[in-house]
Amino acid sequence: MNADFTWTVRVYYEDTDTGGVVFYANYLKFFERARTEWLRAAGINQGLLAEKHHSMFVVKSTAVDYHAPAKLDDELKLTVVVERLGRASVQFVQEAWRVDGTQRHLLSSGRIRVGCVDTRTFRPSPIPDEVLARIKKTG
């Protein structure tokens, strides 16, 4: 479980299907929350990014593999690693782990690519220099 950033989330009833297992699409929500907290930890305020630079990050693509189920009340560790940083995009590798004492179980892994777009046109735009610098420092 090597990661530049780890975020903890609890599995609630609303995250599960009728069998008490986390619904597969909810891993994308968990990954989104972890990336948002990663940005916050890097000192990047998404509201200020939109207001000051007219820029925001949007998901361009996802590829997720599922290895084992998470269940109701599990505590998950979500990891965020910058795999590739471009001028207008960032590709992340993210994982969801269940940690029980000293044992850890990989539940899901994914590659998520986000692009920076202009909030007025929704066209690709370069990541603002100060944001790029913070990502390089953190990632």
Side-chain angles (χ1 to χ4, degrees):
M1 192 169 68
N2 294 332
D4 294 340
F5 182 82
T6 302
W7 182 255
T8 302
V9 67
R10 174 79 60 191
V11 174
Y12 294 112
Y13 186 75
E14 67 187 26
D15 301 319
T16 64
D17 59 18
T18 57
V21 173
V22 169
F23 182 66
Y24 74 94
N26 285 335
Y27 286 95
L28 291 171
K29 291 181 182 182
F30 297 155
F31 288 164
E32 177 76 27
R33 290 177 200 163
R35 284 193 316 279
T36 298
E37 294 302 330
W38 173 84
L39 284 169
R40 191 181 320 269
I44 300 167
N45 179 307
Q46 293 188 80
L48 190 58
L49 178 65
E51 183 181 309
K52 182 178 176 184
H53 297 285
H54 301 287
S55 296
M56 67 181 197
F57 291 110
V58 296
V59 173
K60 175 159 178 30
S61 63
T62 63
V64 181
D65 291 314
Y66 303 95
H67 309 285
K71 298 178 182 171
L72 181 64
D73 290 330
D74 282 349
E75 185 176 271
L76 308 182
K77 303 289 184 190
L78 305 167
T79 63
V80 178
V81 175
V82 173
E83 182 177 53
R84 190 182 68 74
L85 179 60
R87 188 63 190 113
S89 67
V90 186
Q91 184 162 299
F92 296 94
V93 172
Q94 293 190 252
E95 296 174 331
W97 293 81
R98 181 178 51 246
V99 180
D100 301 316
T102 60
Q103 293 193 335
R104 57 190 190 156
H105 308 278
L106 179 61
L107 306 177
S108 179
S109 56
R111 277 195 167 72
I112 292 82
R113 185 171 177 207
V114 300
C116 186
V117 299
D118 185 292
T119 58
R120 299 161 294 194
T121 64
F122 287 89
R123 306 272 308 154
S125 66
I127 298 169
D129 289 337
E130 66 187 67
V131 174
L132 200 59
R134 286 182 184 269
I135 292 172
K136 285 179 181 177
K137 183 178 176 183
T138 304

